[in-house]
Amino acid sequence: MLKKLDHIGIAVDDLDNAISCFEGVLGVKVQHREIVESEKIEAAIFNVGDTRIELFSPISEDSSVKKFLDRRGPGLHHIAFEVENIQAALAAARESGAQVLDEHPRVGVNGTLAGFIHPKSLFGVLTELVEYVQ
Ligand code: CO
C-alpha cells in the first residue's frame, strides 16, 4: 500500500552547484546533506510541502549513479513512494511480475529502508519504495 509520494530523485554531476541552482531558481533551502554509503552518493534534501526533492551525485566511480550520468547526463533519476512495510511491498511487486532490484531492503537517506523496482517494469521510471523505521 502506497502512503504518499516521498521524494523525487535528481542525479547531478556537481552537488554544490545544483544546490545553489535550486536555491536560486526555486527559492528553496537545502535541509541537509548526507553521504549514503549503500548508494555511493552524497545527497542533498529539500523539503517541499510534505514531499521532498533529493539531489545527489556519485562519490565513487563504481556508483550506479555515475553510470547513469555518463549514459544520460544529469536529470530525473527516480521517484519514491512511502510504504507501510517495505518487505511486503517488495514481495508484492515481485509477485506481480515486476523486476525488483533489491532482494532485501537497503539503508537509504535518513536511515530509511528502501528498495527499487526496475524502470522497465514501470514505463521507464525507476521507482523506489521507502519505509520509515524509527
Ligand atoms: Co531516493
Side-chain angles (χ1 to χ4, degrees):
M1 171 77 89
L2 302 184
K3 294 174 76 175
K4 66 169 186 123
L5 179 67
D6 185 71
H7 64 271
I8 293 170
I10 298 173
V12 301
D13 291 302
D14 180 334
L15 194 59
D16 290 322
N17 179 62
I19 290 169
S20 303
C21 185
F22 264 67
E23 290 184 337
V25 175
L26 297 175
V28 287
K29 195 89 189 102
V30 69
Q31 244 74 39
H32 91 278
R33 294 173 68 147
E34 172 181 341
I35 302 281
V36 184
E37 294 292 349
S38 64
E39 313 282 347
K40 296 174 178 152
I41 58 168
E42 182 176 9
I45 316 298
F46 296 86
N47 291 335
V48 180
D50 67 350
T51 190
R52 290 176 290 129
I53 306 288
E54 291 184 5
L55 305 180
F56 47 84
S57 58
I59 54 169
S60 158
E61 286 295 311
D62 63 346
S63 167
S64 67
V65 174
K66 172 81 171 90
K67 291 179 201 97
F68 176 92
L69 288 167
D70 288 347
R71 209 166 51 239
R72 300 169 58 173
L76 185 60
H77 180 268
H78 67 274
I79 62 172
F81 296 104
E82 183 183 353
V83 297
E84 206 77 61
N85 180 323
I86 185 71
Q87 293 279 11
L90 292 176
R94 201 177 297 112
E95 186 74 13
S96 79
Q99 186 181 335
V100 174
L101 297 174
D102 297 281
E103 185 67 32
H104 301 289
R106 58 178 100 181
V107 178
V109 171
N110 273 329
T112 52
L113 292 176
F116 286 87
I117 300 170
H118 195 284
K120 79 179 181 195
S121 297
L122 285 170
F123 308 95
V125 180
L126 177 62
T127 300
E128 180 181 9
L129 303 175
V130 176
E131 177 186 339
Y132 287 83
V133 279
Q134 58 277 50

